[in-house]
Amino acid sequence: MPSNTTAPPAKKKGRRARLIVLVLVLALLAGIGYGGYWGVSTVRGSFPQTTGTIRIDALSGPVEVKRDAYGVPQIYADSEADLFRAQGYVQAQDRFYEMDVRRHMTAGRLSEMFGRGQVDTDAFLRTLGWRRVAQQEYDKVLSAETKKNLQAYAEGVNAYLKDKDPSDVSVEYAALAFTNEYEIEPWTPVDSVAWLKAMAWDLRGNMQDEIDRSLMAGRLEPGQIKDLYPGYPYELHQPIVDGGAVDKSTGKFDPKAQAKSGDDGTATAGGGSQGGIQSQLAALSDTLDEIPALIGPNGNGIGSNSWVVSGAYTTSGKPLLANDPHLSPMLPSLWYQMGLHCRSVSATCRYDVAGYTFSGTPGVIIGHNDSIAWGFTNLGADVTDLYLEKVGTDGYVVDGKTKPFITRDETIKVAGEADRLIKVRSTEHGPLVSDRSTELEKVGKTAPVGNAAPDRGTSGYGVSLRWTALQPGKSMDAVFELNRAKDFQAFRAAAKDFEVPSQNLVYADTAGNIGYQAPGKIPVRSKAANYDGTLPAPGWDSSYDWKGYIPLAELPYEYNPKRGYIVTANQAVIDEKKYPYLLTRDWGYGSRSQRINDLIESKIKDGGKISPDDMQTMQMDNRSEIATLLNPLLLKIDIADPQVREAQKLLEGWDYTQEPDSAAAAYFNAVWRNVLKLAFGNKLPKELRVEGECINVRVVDTTGPVDEQGKLVPECGERDPETAQPDGGDRWYEVVRPLLEKEKSEWWKTPGDRLNAATETRDQLLAQAMKDARWELTAKLGKDVSTWSWGRLHQLTLKNQTLGTAGPGFVQALLNRGPWNLGGGEAAVDATGWNAAGGYEVIWVPSMRMVVNVGDWDKSRWINLTGASGHAFHGHYTDQTDKWVKGELLDWSYGQGAVEATTQDTLKLEP
């Protein structure tokens, strides 16, 4: 794609011009002669100018923007303010539509862009109040220096927007013009701060598990629910931190200390009144499904890999650091690659940093400067609690006394329609999220509750949300502190301010040190109440309130551990029996992390060394851990049906890898999906099963004389396919692992139907799953098993996050890309996740991959899921995707000489 050498024209003639743009785009799609040519020309009008000179009033000095062959910008300036002004300008050039949608989402203003269909989403987001909290952070909490950087960034964005019609900014605005005379507002510093709330929301921890456990209580016994939420397998999967304990004499965590007997933070689920909340929580779960998952579907798949290896075990003699966050696939990618360089690093211009950031946010989120490198994975700390509230017309009850609600009115503007007005009510715990659902207004009128619960009265219980991100914090300060840090001490100081979302931070520096810090604002729950956050708490009892937050000095960390490497992949941070605080009960279960540990150990044993190529190969490891357990049993089953036997033979000699061309991987994953459906899925309540999938359940009429057996009636699932259960993640590996030794467990029993006999044992159910998988894949992939492949089932389609998912079909065809056939799989290191309840489609991915060669920075490598551009027909829209699919990485230039050597376009920004 040749560079765009001129700035787009100023103001076009309003609505008519925007409609012409869309008509020409449609002509392009249809390939209509000259219409196609002029469609390209018109669409290119919104592409960024990448060469020549642009004058910007806000700048105090000259700035250069050097872009490589993939459009990745490296910015050079003489002052910090100009550096961030230029960052805002350049990101707006490439991604402003994405930025604009994000700020409307975080502010609960999507209806202003997309109309009435977003009113309920806006109402829920207004109830949470992300934008209000971001404003409070900016006004009262963030440092003066951070505010200056945010202001400079906003000045740069607005310099780009000056005198531009929406259709000059991005083609999506032309599509919006059909229904909405939309005008772009200036960017503000708070727009940048609010985005961190959206990131925190999708990484918020175990809120969905809290809901799901409560919903299961309507159908399953407590022991059965416990079966489905097993404890973390410490004996199989090592936690991040090998040892250490809080030294009570100093009040600090000591990585070398030994935990004393009885020094644990275990607690059991808190009590009283779990009954009667199924309908409320089901409705809340439905509401959560409607919230845009800009990071990914919240659940077991949300995660990431990062690991760092000491120079003692690397071919370079310096540390190597790898990171690949697992997030929702989106177009454009969540990440934006860039470098921010002071021409002369000094006390007044301190930045020389490169890596991945978010469009709309200044600084670099993950990457390196000239001294240190760092990576993130989701820690998964339990930072949310749902509280049942005894509500009435005058307020809510706490310790027998009625307190008034905290209220505010919100006005939701709707494109082309009248405004909607809502009232937000909050308790001392947080917003009353049950107000946003008509079903939740009828909370639990008939279901029984425990004796400890107050009477529901006529209005029932409400549900409020306490969440650390709803309190003003300093995470934006932490971004800039990380960018400037030069050593582990400064890195830990920055981590102290990274309050939400709680992330595992890995570290390496040019002096050869490696480290890890668990940061975050993590609540301390009451041991007196014996409450562990796994079920909703009784809000009327103040003993269930949080008792403060774990001090950073007492959070686990490591520095140069003897083993010589650190792995974080959402496993447990530390053995709960060695640590006095409860971080969560709902860790990832450690399949990915243990596989990475094993791969590192296999390389360094007997004096072996790890190279950057080895790190890259590890990132693409696609071995199925559940297959190592289940496949040997599948091969022992005597299959009479010749066509099912034909499929079974695919598993003979399979090495458990999930390559896109593997027929064995396709069949095994189909068997796994059907095992889960038969053993567990069909026994779960409708609120957890896939929407529209129906089973027969037996219902007894208790109002009159009936057959004791009752009658069978259809019951259909209600959950979005991306969040339904059983999702097949590594929690389900740990559910199934002990059951494989119990051939007659109740979980293996199924009632059968008119086509299939009931099952009583493990092998009978496995045989049925193999049969069902055979015919499922026959329908999807054809009768000839030799033509089957995992990639044909397991496909990635990149969708524009607004019009590409909900727009007219022809607009989706314009904006979306794919599909690509992928390898990898759920809970593999190459975590191309899919939900076993919902199907095989890829729903989360390694959203970027990087391997940092610490100290020899120009030999580092990186890749993005899509490309630098958010413009649908630009050459950099998805130009990294094919390489990403193959596991390839691009060279990552950092030093000025390397950047010059790879520069394709240079743009000068001048005052």
PDB file of all heavy atoms in Angstrom, residues 516-540:
ATOM      1  N   TYR A 516       9.187 -10.805  39.726  1.00  0.00           N
ATOM      2  CA  TYR A 516       7.727 -10.922  39.634  1.00  0.00           C
ATOM      3  C   TYR A 516       7.109 -10.132  40.773  1.00  0.00           C
ATOM      4  O   TYR A 516       7.634 -10.124  41.902  1.00  0.00           O
ATOM      5  CB  TYR A 516       7.289 -12.384  39.735  1.00  0.00           C
ATOM      6  CG  TYR A 516       5.817 -12.537  40.076  1.00  0.00           C
ATOM      7  CD1 TYR A 516       4.842 -12.433  39.093  1.00  0.00           C
ATOM      8  CD2 TYR A 516       5.406 -12.752  41.398  1.00  0.00           C
ATOM      9  CE1 TYR A 516       3.490 -12.542  39.414  1.00  0.00           C
ATOM     10  CE2 TYR A 516       4.057 -12.861  41.725  1.00  0.00           C
ATOM     11  CZ  TYR A 516       3.103 -12.746  40.729  1.00  0.00           C
ATOM     12  OH  TYR A 516       1.781 -12.845  41.048  1.00  0.00           O
ATOM     13  N   GLN A 517       5.988  -9.459  40.493  1.00  0.00           N
ATOM     14  CA  GLN A 517       5.235  -8.778  41.541  1.00  0.00           C
ATOM     15  C   GLN A 517       3.744  -8.995  41.311  1.00  0.00           C
ATOM     16  O   GLN A 517       3.254  -8.827  40.202  1.00  0.00           O
ATOM     17  CB  GLN A 517       5.525  -7.268  41.542  1.00  0.00           C
ATOM     18  CG  GLN A 517       4.709  -6.484  42.567  1.00  0.00           C
ATOM     19  CD  GLN A 517       5.087  -6.824  44.008  1.00  0.00           C
ATOM     20  OE1 GLN A 517       6.236  -6.681  44.404  1.00  0.00           O
ATOM     21  NE2 GLN A 517       4.118  -7.281  44.789  1.00  0.00           N
ATOM     22  N   ALA A 518       3.042  -9.373  42.398  1.00  0.00           N
ATOM     23  CA  ALA A 518       1.578  -9.413  42.382  1.00  0.00           C
ATOM     24  C   ALA A 518       1.084  -8.076  42.921  1.00  0.00           C
ATOM     25  O   ALA A 518       1.216  -7.820  44.115  1.00  0.00           O
ATOM     26  CB  ALA A 518       1.076 -10.560  43.255  1.00  0.00           C
ATOM     27  N   PRO A 519       0.572  -7.208  42.064  1.00  0.00           N
ATOM     28  CA  PRO A 519       0.066  -5.930  42.550  1.00  0.00           C
ATOM     29  C   PRO A 519      -1.456  -5.982  42.671  1.00  0.00           C
ATOM     30  O   PRO A 519      -2.068  -7.045  42.559  1.00  0.00           O
ATOM     31  CB  PRO A 519       0.480  -4.970  41.442  1.00  0.00           C
ATOM     32  CG  PRO A 519       0.292  -5.788  40.206  1.00  0.00           C
ATOM     33  CD  PRO A 519       0.571  -7.244  40.600  1.00  0.00           C
ATOM     34  N   GLY A 520      -2.057  -4.836  42.879  1.00  0.00           N
ATOM     35  CA  GLY A 520      -3.510  -4.753  42.822  1.00  0.00           C
ATOM     36  C   GLY A 520      -4.150  -4.394  44.141  1.00  0.00           C
ATOM     37  O   GLY A 520      -3.591  -4.611  45.221  1.00  0.00           O
ATOM     38  N   LYS A 521      -5.339  -3.851  44.023  1.00  0.00           N
ATOM     39  CA  LYS A 521      -6.158  -3.521  45.177  1.00  0.00           C
ATOM     40  C   LYS A 521      -7.035  -4.736  45.459  1.00  0.00           C
ATOM     41  O   LYS A 521      -8.063  -4.940  44.821  1.00  0.00           O
ATOM     42  CB  LYS A 521      -7.007  -2.286  44.855  1.00  0.00           C
ATOM     43  CG  LYS A 521      -7.542  -1.544  46.043  1.00  0.00           C
ATOM     44  CD  LYS A 521      -8.153  -0.224  45.593  1.00  0.00           C
ATOM     45  CE  LYS A 521      -8.395   0.675  46.785  1.00  0.00           C
ATOM     46  NZ  LYS A 521      -8.896   2.012  46.345  1.00  0.00           N
ATOM     47  N   ILE A 522      -6.597  -5.569  46.387  1.00  0.00           N
ATOM     48  CA  ILE A 522      -7.252  -6.856  46.642  1.00  0.00           C
ATOM     49  C   ILE A 522      -7.880  -6.817  48.026  1.00  0.00           C
ATOM     50  O   ILE A 522      -7.188  -6.590  49.024  1.00  0.00           O
ATOM     51  CB  ILE A 522      -6.249  -8.008  46.531  1.00  0.00           C
ATOM     52  CG1 ILE A 522      -5.581  -7.993  45.143  1.00  0.00           C
ATOM     53  CG2 ILE A 522      -6.931  -9.342  46.786  1.00  0.00           C
ATOM     54  CD1 ILE A 522      -4.458  -8.988  44.980  1.00  0.00           C
ATOM     55  N   PRO A 523      -9.193  -7.022  48.135  1.00  0.00           N
ATOM     56  CA  PRO A 523      -9.865  -6.862  49.433  1.00  0.00           C
ATOM     57  C   PRO A 523      -9.513  -7.945  50.433  1.00  0.00           C
ATOM     58  O   PRO A 523      -9.195  -9.082  50.068  1.00  0.00           O
ATOM     59  CB  PRO A 523     -11.352  -6.922  49.063  1.00  0.00           C
ATOM     60  CG  PRO A 523     -11.405  -7.666  47.779  1.00  0.00           C
ATOM     61  CD  PRO A 523     -10.140  -7.334  47.047  1.00  0.00           C
ATOM     62  N   VAL A 524      -9.591  -7.570  51.698  1.00  0.00           N
ATOM     63  CA  VAL A 524      -9.477  -8.512  52.811  1.00  0.00           C
ATOM     64  C   VAL A 524     -10.883  -8.783  53.310  1.00  0.00           C
ATOM     65  O   VAL A 524     -11.611  -7.862  53.678  1.00  0.00           O
ATOM     66  CB  VAL A 524      -8.614  -7.930  53.949  1.00  0.00           C
ATOM     67  CG1 VAL A 524      -8.586  -8.897  55.137  1.00  0.00           C
ATOM     68  CG2 VAL A 524      -7.204  -7.637  53.454  1.00  0.00           C
ATOM     69  N   ARG A 525     -11.289 -10.049  53.292  1.00  0.00           N
ATOM     70  CA  ARG A 525     -12.626 -10.422  53.741  1.00  0.00           C
ATOM     71  C   ARG A 525     -12.578 -10.921  55.175  1.00  0.00           C
ATOM     72  O   ARG A 525     -11.548 -11.357  55.666  1.00  0.00           O
ATOM     73  CB  ARG A 525     -13.232 -11.471  52.811  1.00  0.00           C
ATOM     74  CG  ARG A 525     -13.511 -10.915  51.423  1.00  0.00           C
ATOM     75  CD  ARG A 525     -14.002 -11.977  50.460  1.00  0.00           C
ATOM     76  NE  ARG A 525     -14.331 -11.386  49.166  1.00  0.00           N
ATOM     77  CZ  ARG A 525     -13.438 -11.124  48.214  1.00  0.00           C
ATOM     78  NH1 ARG A 525     -12.167 -11.435  48.410  1.00  0.00           N
ATOM     79  NH2 ARG A 525     -13.813 -10.570  47.084  1.00  0.00           N
ATOM     80  N   SER A 526     -13.715 -10.909  55.785  1.00  0.00           N
ATOM     81  CA  SER A 526     -13.800 -11.212  57.209  1.00  0.00           C
ATOM     82  C   SER A 526     -13.640 -12.696  57.481  1.00  0.00           C
ATOM     83  O   SER A 526     -14.412 -13.522  56.981  1.00  0.00           O
ATOM     84  CB  SER A 526     -15.153 -10.737  57.746  1.00  0.00           C
ATOM     85  OG  SER A 526     -15.351 -11.200  59.059  1.00  0.00           O
ATOM     86  N   LYS A 527     -12.627 -13.047  58.286  1.00  0.00           N
ATOM     87  CA  LYS A 527     -12.524 -14.429  58.744  1.00  0.00           C
ATOM     88  C   LYS A 527     -13.599 -14.742  59.771  1.00  0.00           C
ATOM     89  O   LYS A 527     -14.064 -15.873  59.875  1.00  0.00           O
ATOM     90  CB  LYS A 527     -11.133 -14.681  59.327  1.00  0.00           C
ATOM     91  CG  LYS A 527     -10.020 -14.736  58.297  1.00  0.00           C
ATOM     92  CD  LYS A 527      -8.705 -15.162  58.928  1.00  0.00           C
ATOM     93  CE  LYS A 527      -7.608 -15.275  57.888  1.00  0.00           C
ATOM     94  NZ  LYS A 527      -6.325 -15.712  58.479  1.00  0.00           N
ATOM     95  N   ALA A 528     -14.006 -13.710  60.508  1.00  0.00           N
ATOM     96  CA  ALA A 528     -15.046 -13.919  61.526  1.00  0.00           C
ATOM     97  C   ALA A 528     -16.342 -14.375  60.878  1.00  0.00           C
ATOM     98  O   ALA A 528     -17.066 -15.224  61.409  1.00  0.00           O
ATOM     99  CB  ALA A 528     -15.265 -12.634  62.318  1.00  0.00           C
ATOM    100  N   ALA A 529     -16.642 -13.831  59.688  1.00  0.00           N
ATOM    101  CA  ALA A 529     -17.861 -14.239  58.975  1.00  0.00           C
ATOM    102  C   ALA A 529     -17.649 -15.533  58.205  1.00  0.00           C
ATOM    103  O   ALA A 529     -18.598 -16.083  57.647  1.00  0.00           O
ATOM    104  CB  ALA A 529     -18.293 -13.127  58.017  1.00  0.00           C
ATOM    105  N   ASN A 530     -16.395 -16.007  58.162  1.00  0.00           N
ATOM    106  CA  ASN A 530     -16.085 -17.245  57.439  1.00  0.00           C
ATOM    107  C   ASN A 530     -16.521 -17.141  55.981  1.00  0.00           C
ATOM    108  O   ASN A 530     -17.112 -18.060  55.424  1.00  0.00           O
ATOM    109  CB  ASN A 530     -16.759 -18.442  58.114  1.00  0.00           C
ATOM    110  CG  ASN A 530     -15.982 -19.722  57.850  1.00  0.00           C
ATOM    111  OD1 ASN A 530     -14.774 -19.684  57.642  1.00  0.00           O
ATOM    112  ND2 ASN A 530     -16.671 -20.849  57.867  1.00  0.00           N
ATOM    113  N   TYR A 531     -16.203 -16.012  55.357  1.00  0.00           N
ATOM    114  CA  TYR A 531     -16.697 -15.701  54.014  1.00  0.00           C
ATOM    115  C   TYR A 531     -15.541 -15.666  53.026  1.00  0.00           C
ATOM    116  O   TYR A 531     -14.525 -15.017  53.269  1.00  0.00           O
ATOM    117  CB  TYR A 531     -17.409 -14.343  54.035  1.00  0.00           C
ATOM    118  CG  TYR A 531     -17.935 -13.927  52.683  1.00  0.00           C
ATOM    119  CD1 TYR A 531     -18.826 -14.731  51.987  1.00  0.00           C
ATOM    120  CD2 TYR A 531     -17.536 -12.729  52.096  1.00  0.00           C
ATOM    121  CE1 TYR A 531     -19.300 -14.368  50.743  1.00  0.00           C
ATOM    122  CE2 TYR A 531     -18.006 -12.347  50.853  1.00  0.00           C
ATOM    123  CZ  TYR A 531     -18.887 -13.172  50.181  1.00  0.00           C
ATOM    124  OH  TYR A 531     -19.363 -12.810  48.946  1.00  0.00           O
ATOM    125  N   ASP A 532     -15.702 -16.362  51.883  1.00  0.00           N
ATOM    126  CA  ASP A 532     -14.608 -16.439  50.917  1.00  0.00           C
ATOM    127  C   ASP A 532     -14.947 -15.866  49.549  1.00  0.00           C
ATOM    128  O   ASP A 532     -14.190 -16.031  48.595  1.00  0.00           O
ATOM    129  CB  ASP A 532     -14.127 -17.885  50.761  1.00  0.00           C
ATOM    130  CG  ASP A 532     -15.175 -18.797  50.135  1.00  0.00           C
ATOM    131  OD1 ASP A 532     -16.287 -18.327  49.820  1.00  0.00           O
ATOM    132  OD2 ASP A 532     -14.867 -19.990  49.945  1.00  0.00           O
ATOM    133  N   GLY A 533     -16.081 -15.201  49.413  1.00  0.00           N
ATOM    134  CA  GLY A 533     -16.390 -14.516  48.168  1.00  0.00           C
ATOM    135  C   GLY A 533     -16.864 -15.396  47.047  1.00  0.00           C
ATOM    136  O   GLY A 533     -17.014 -14.920  45.913  1.00  0.00           O
ATOM    137  N   THR A 534     -17.143 -16.663  47.296  1.00  0.00           N
ATOM    138  CA  THR A 534     -17.551 -17.549  46.211  1.00  0.00           C
ATOM    139  C   THR A 534     -19.052 -17.529  45.960  1.00  0.00           C
ATOM    140  O   THR A 534     -19.503 -18.023  44.934  1.00  0.00           O
ATOM    141  CB  THR A 534     -17.120 -19.005  46.500  1.00  0.00           C
ATOM    142  OG1 THR A 534     -17.710 -19.426  47.740  1.00  0.00           O
ATOM    143  CG2 THR A 534     -15.606 -19.110  46.583  1.00  0.00           C
ATOM    144  N   LEU A 535     -19.829 -16.987  46.883  1.00  0.00           N
ATOM    145  CA  LEU A 535     -21.282 -16.873  46.742  1.00  0.00           C
ATOM    146  C   LEU A 535     -21.696 -15.473  47.190  1.00  0.00           C
ATOM    147  O   LEU A 535     -20.970 -14.810  47.936  1.00  0.00           O
ATOM    148  CB  LEU A 535     -22.001 -17.928  47.589  1.00  0.00           C
ATOM    149  CG  LEU A 535     -21.865 -19.381  47.131  1.00  0.00           C
ATOM    150  CD1 LEU A 535     -22.352 -20.324  48.214  1.00  0.00           C
ATOM    151  CD2 LEU A 535     -22.635 -19.619  45.835  1.00  0.00           C
ATOM    152  N   PRO A 536     -22.850 -14.979  46.759  1.00  0.00           N
ATOM    153  CA  PRO A 536     -23.297 -13.659  47.204  1.00  0.00           C
ATOM    154  C   PRO A 536     -23.388 -13.571  48.724  1.00  0.00           C
ATOM    155  O   PRO A 536     -23.749 -14.531  49.405  1.00  0.00           O
ATOM    156  CB  PRO A 536     -24.675 -13.519  46.547  1.00  0.00           C
ATOM    157  CG  PRO A 536     -24.592 -14.371  45.322  1.00  0.00           C
ATOM    158  CD  PRO A 536     -23.766 -15.552  45.731  1.00  0.00           C
ATOM    159  N   ALA A 537     -23.062 -12.409  49.252  1.00  0.00           N
ATOM    160  CA  ALA A 537     -23.026 -12.188  50.697  1.00  0.00           C
ATOM    161  C   ALA A 537     -24.308 -11.503  51.164  1.00  0.00           C
ATOM    162  O   ALA A 537     -24.926 -10.748  50.414  1.00  0.00           O
ATOM    163  CB  ALA A 537     -21.830 -11.314  51.057  1.00  0.00           C
ATOM    164  N   PRO A 538     -24.702 -11.743  52.407  1.00  0.00           N
ATOM    165  CA  PRO A 538     -25.865 -11.042  52.965  1.00  0.00           C
ATOM    166  C   PRO A 538     -25.506  -9.601  53.315  1.00  0.00           C
ATOM    167  O   PRO A 538     -24.753  -9.342  54.264  1.00  0.00           O
ATOM    168  CB  PRO A 538     -26.200 -11.861  54.214  1.00  0.00           C
ATOM    169  CG  PRO A 538     -24.931 -12.531  54.595  1.00  0.00           C
ATOM    170  CD  PRO A 538     -24.162 -12.759  53.331  1.00  0.00           C
ATOM    171  N   GLY A 539     -26.006  -8.666  52.537  1.00  0.00           N
ATOM    172  CA  GLY A 539     -25.652  -7.272  52.726  1.00  0.00           C
ATOM    173  C   GLY A 539     -26.174  -6.676  54.015  1.00  0.00           C
ATOM    174  O   GLY A 539     -25.681  -5.635  54.469  1.00  0.00           O
ATOM    175  N   TRP A 540     -27.162  -7.334  54.629  1.00  0.00           N
ATOM    176  CA  TRP A 540     -27.745  -6.808  55.858  1.00  0.00           C
ATOM    177  C   TRP A 540     -26.895  -7.104  57.089  1.00  0.00           C
ATOM    178  O   TRP A 540     -27.223  -6.665  58.178  1.00  0.00           O
ATOM    179  CB  TRP A 540     -29.146  -7.389  56.053  1.00  0.00           C
ATOM    180  CG  TRP A 540     -29.185  -8.885  55.883  1.00  0.00           C
ATOM    181  CD1 TRP A 540     -28.867  -9.833  56.803  1.00  0.00           C
ATOM    182  CD2 TRP A 540     -29.566  -9.590  54.700  1.00  0.00           C
ATOM    183  NE1 TRP A 540     -29.009 -11.095  56.278  1.00  0.00           N
ATOM    184  CE2 TRP A 540     -29.440 -10.982  54.990  1.00  0.00           C
ATOM    185  CE3 TRP A 540     -29.995  -9.210  53.427  1.00  0.00           C
ATOM    186  CZ2 TRP A 540     -29.738 -11.964  54.052  1.00  0.00           C
ATOM    187  CZ3 TRP A 540     -30.296 -10.188  52.500  1.00  0.00           C
ATOM    188  CH2 TRP A 540     -30.165 -11.548  52.816  1.00  0.00           C
TER     189      TRP A 540
END
